[in-house]
Amino acid sequence: MKRIVFTLLQPATLALIVTFWAFIPAALLEKDWVITAISIGTLLMVQGLEFVNERHAGWRLNTREFLTDLFYTVLYFTVISKVETKLAEEPLGSAKHALGITTDWAMHLPFVAQVALALFVMEFGQYWLHRLMHNSFLWWTHAPHHHITQLNAAKGLVGNPLELFLVSLSVIAIFDLPLTAVFCAYNLTGAISSFAHANVRFYTPRWYAFFFTTVEAHSLHHTVGFAETRCNYANALILIDRMFGTFRPGEAEIVGQDERRRLAVREQFMYPFKPLMAMIKGNAAI
Ligand SMILES: [Zn+2]
Ligand SMILES: [Zn+2]
């Protein structure tokens, strides 16, 4: 019975999310808090699964990990997502109107196609930004996420705030799409990312793992050697890694960087300034 449940859980959750947003009453959609509440509810559900079918005892949530995850979850939903709306989404929407850009055709697609389009646009941008982070100075913003030494449902939200802001950027505001489709895609990426970071033993169907990022694929991305992290970049749509030749099969139990030293929140916040501070110290020594 447990095996059936943990085989069907991921696809069933995604189907439920799509159905929910397809039929959400207009009165509920108007409320600002609905998307936040549904996203947090999805995250809590995945977190709860860790206590039902654990993947690795070494990834078990303890008080210190729980408090860190809670801190970043609150930070994301209260600050980062709001800053992203104000600094990126709204200006992009205004620029679109000012320039007279329209993608009217997108409004006439079936709901599922609109969701698929939104999901692909969000994930395509995130894939390239994430890949760039592993191959440029932007690594200094992303490294704290790779210093986590265990995976849990909310660990996708743990990292340097600058990185969390950068990876939440998207050009989705360019497209004319109903809010329900955009919220649905956002909710789906959140759910898949939680599944891919969760300490849960899923028996994932092969077809699901072909399209969507799983904890196997993402744990491999969190593996210890830096060179080995350069694969499986997609947050939710692993299909994009397959398209661009960066997919690698396998999984990892031992995760982290730099001898697996766990960073405190203060170190996670200061990490991108490390090269600058090293430079200043170097100059002072001269
Ligand atoms: Zn990464
Ligand atoms: Zn991750």
Side-chain angles (χ1 to χ4, degrees), residues 185-219:
Y186 174 78
N187 196 179
L188 286 173
T189 59
I192 299 166
S193 177
S194 300
F195 285 138
H197 283 97
N199 182 20
V200 177
R201 186 155 299 282
F202 291 112
Y203 310 103
T204 310
R206 294 247 302 261
W207 67 266
Y208 178 98
F210 183 80
F211 290 102
F212 304 111
T213 307
T214 60
V215 65
E216 284 86 357
H218 197 67
S219 64

Side-chain angles (χ1 to χ4, degrees), residues 24-143:
I24 185 172
L28 256 188
L29 189 64
E30 283 169 14
K31 310 263 189 270
D32 277 353
W33 51 265
V34 169
I35 179 63
T36 306
I38 298 295
S39 300
I40 294 175
T42 310
L43 178 60
L44 285 176
M45 183 276 286
V46 183
Q47 184 61 71
L49 296 174
E50 293 193 4
F51 303 101
V52 183
N53 206 22
E54 185 176 76
R55 186 170 192 83
H56 301 299
W59 294 2
R60 196 172 296 158
L61 201 62
N62 55 34
T63 310
R64 188 173 66 164
E65 294 292 336
F66 170 74
L67 290 176
T68 305
D69 294 2
L70 182 66
F71 169 77
Y72 279 102
T73 304
V74 172
L75 181 76
Y76 179 78
F77 285 106
T78 57
V79 181
I80 291 168
S81 63
K82 303 284 183 285
V83 171
E84 200 269 338
T85 306
K86 285 275 170 256
L87 292 188
E89 216 170 288
E90 286 180 1
L92 193 61
S94 307
K96 167 186 145 65
H97 284 297
L99 295 170
I101 301 168
T102 55
T103 62
D104 212 26
W105 52 267
M107 285 303 268
H108 303 293
L109 294 171
F111 181 71
V112 174
Q114 290 173 331
V115 173
L117 173 68
L119 190 64
F120 190 81
V121 170
M122 288 177 184
E123 282 294 305
F124 190 78
Q126 196 162 60
Y127 169 86
W128 283 106
L129 187 65
H130 187 190
R131 193 168 162 178
L132 185 67
M133 284 175 168
H134 279 258
N135 293 278
S136 72
F137 69 94
L138 285 176
W139 171 251
W140 291 98
T141 69
H142 184 50

Side-chain angles (χ1 to χ4, degrees), residues 130 142 145-146 148 151 155-158 163 193 196-197 218-219 221-222 235:
H130 187 190
H142 184 50
H145 179 62
H146 278 270
I148 56 175
L151 298 189
K155 286 289 194 288
L157 301 174
V158 175
E163 182 237 354
S193 177
H197 283 97
H218 197 67
S219 64
H221 178 75
H222 274 275
N235 172 57

